């Protein structure tokens, strides 16, 4: 992986050219995204219905939680998830800032009191991420790519961190299958850059299948 110092000013044009891929790669990747998202939505529709009912029974509030995230080239989009927290979770975050267990601009807390009962299950199994199949279908995201960050997090990025914004964000990535919240922020970014450098169709397919293997019962998911 390219050795770039974290505080070094980055020439984005150079890296955009360096990380560019063929038209064939982007075409096949989009075909996989569209076909995979459609098949996933159809096959998993019973799961969508069951989780919808469970969330409505478990706590007050909407079933789907949407939040602004930063995509490729700083483009903002609404990312969808099954709601796994109480409705005023973002307001309660202020009181929990000192309990952050993740380095960098991210906030992660293993026993976050804002998470609902059904939310603990959907997060552990990553079922809460399933509505992002619609983000993939729309073209905001891909199946494989760096996980999208909040605008407030991106505002604290160094130039090196911002290299991950050169590609479309994804549902899964190296971080997703190699430890998730056990990986600190800087290593997470390095894994994202590593993926961007190494990506190809076969690697994407392998990552998708590997994600299924670690999907259920991941002790690092919270």
């Amino acid at each position: 992986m390219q050795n770039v110092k974290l505080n070094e000013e980055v020439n984005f044009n150079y890296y955009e050219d360096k990380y560019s891929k063929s038209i064939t790669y982007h075409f096949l990747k989009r075909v996989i995204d569209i076909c995979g998202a459609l098949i996933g939505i159809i096959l998993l529709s019973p799961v969508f219905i069951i989780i919808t009912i469970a969330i409505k029974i478990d706590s007050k509030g909407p079933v789907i939680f949407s939040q602004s995230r930063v995509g490729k080239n700083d483009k903002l989009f609404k990312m969808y998830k099954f709601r796994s927290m109480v409705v005023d979770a973002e307001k309660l975050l202020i009181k929990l800032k000192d309990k952050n267990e993740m380095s960098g601009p991210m906030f992660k807390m293993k026993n976050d009191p804002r998470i609902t009962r059904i939310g603990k299950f959907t997060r552990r199994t990553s079922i809460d991420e399933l509505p992002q199949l619609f983000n993939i279908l729309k073209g905001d995201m891909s199946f494989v790519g760096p996980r999208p960050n909040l605008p407030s997090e991106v505002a604290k990025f160094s130039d090196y961190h911002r290299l991950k914004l050169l590609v479309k964000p994804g549902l899964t990535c190296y971080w997703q299958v190699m430890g998730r919240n056990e990986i600190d922020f800087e290593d997470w970014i390095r894994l994202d850059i590593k993926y961007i450098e190494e990506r190809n169709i076969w690697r994407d397919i392998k990552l998708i299948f590997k994600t299924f293997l670690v999907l259920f019962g991941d002790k690092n998911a919270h």
Side-chain angles (χ1 to χ4, degrees):
M1 182 165 49
Q2 182 76 21
N3 184 19
V4 180
K5 294 180 181 178
L6 298 185
N7 294 322
E8 182 179 335
E9 186 175 347
V10 173
N11 183 333
F12 284 92
N13 290 331
Y14 166 78
Y15 282 100
E16 190 167 22
D17 291 338
K18 177 181 173 63
Y19 296 155
S20 64
K21 295 295 178 181
S22 68
I23 294 175
T24 302
Y25 169 77
H26 289 293
F27 173 76
L28 291 175
K29 188 175 177 73
R30 185 60 184 145
V31 169
I32 291 172
D33 284 344
I34 293 173
C35 294
L38 284 173
I39 293 171
I41 291 168
I42 293 169
L43 293 181
L44 295 170
S45 56
V47 177
F48 276 78
I49 294 171
I50 292 170
I51 295 301
T52 295
I53 295 171
I55 291 173
K56 294 302 290 184
I57 292 174
D58 184 51
S59 61
K60 294 180 180 179
V63 171
I64 300 296
F65 173 73
S66 66
Q67 191 176 49
S68 291
R69 296 293 175 114
V70 182
K72 181 179 178 181
N73 298 327
D74 289 281
K75 181 181 177 181
L76 289 177
F77 70 96
K78 288 291 185 181
M79 189 182 81
Y80 308 122
K81 299 179 73 172
F82 279 122
R83 182 175 58 81
S84 60
M85 291 187 172
V86 295
V87 291
D88 55 350
E90 293 187 29
K91 293 180 180 179
L92 294 174
L93 178 60
I94 299 173
K95 299 178 181 179
L96 300 172
K97 283 288 187 181
D98 62 334
K99 301 185 185 300
N100 189 13
E101 298 170 9
M102 173 67 79
S103 60
M106 313 286 293
F107 179 87
K108 296 289 181 181
M109 183 179 173
K110 190 168 291 185
N111 296 309
D112 195 324
R114 300 173 300 160
I115 300 175
T116 62
R117 289 174 298 176
I118 189 64
K120 292 178 181 178
F121 169 74
T122 59
R123 282 180 167 231
R124 187 174 67 251
T125 57
S126 294
I127 287 176
D128 64 322
E129 310 283 2
L130 289 182
Q132 286 158 47
L133 290 172
F134 291 96
N135 284 120
I136 294 172
L137 199 59
K138 288 172 60 182
D140 296 326
M141 295 174 62
S142 177
F143 268 107
V144 184
R147 290 296 293 162
N149 291 93
L150 294 164
S152 60
E153 295 167 350
V154 172
K156 300 175 183 177
F157 276 10
S158 69
D159 284 349
Y160 174 72
H161 299 151
R162 293 180 63 83
L163 287 176
K164 69 177 290 182
L165 303 178
L166 290 175
V167 302
K168 190 178 293 186
L171 185 63
T172 190
C173 56
Y174 282 148
W175 170 80
Q176 196 85 355
V177 301
M178 294 176 65
R180 298 182 67 167
N181 297 300
E182 295 300 310
I183 299 174
D184 68 24
F185 176 71
E186 296 298 345
D187 285 337
W188 180 353
I189 293 293
R190 289 188 179 95
L191 285 173
D192 284 341
I193 305 304
K194 176 181 171 67
Y195 165 73
I196 295 171
E197 292 180 344
E198 299 177 346
R199 65 198 165 119
N200 57 56
I201 287 299
W202 295 116
R203 191 173 300 277
D204 285 357
I205 292 172
K206 288 178 181 178
L207 273 170
I208 291 170
F209 278 104
K210 193 169 184 179
T211 300
F212 280 111
L213 294 177
V214 299
L215 186 60
F216 294 98
D218 184 355
K219 66 183 178 62
N220 296 318
H222 55 266

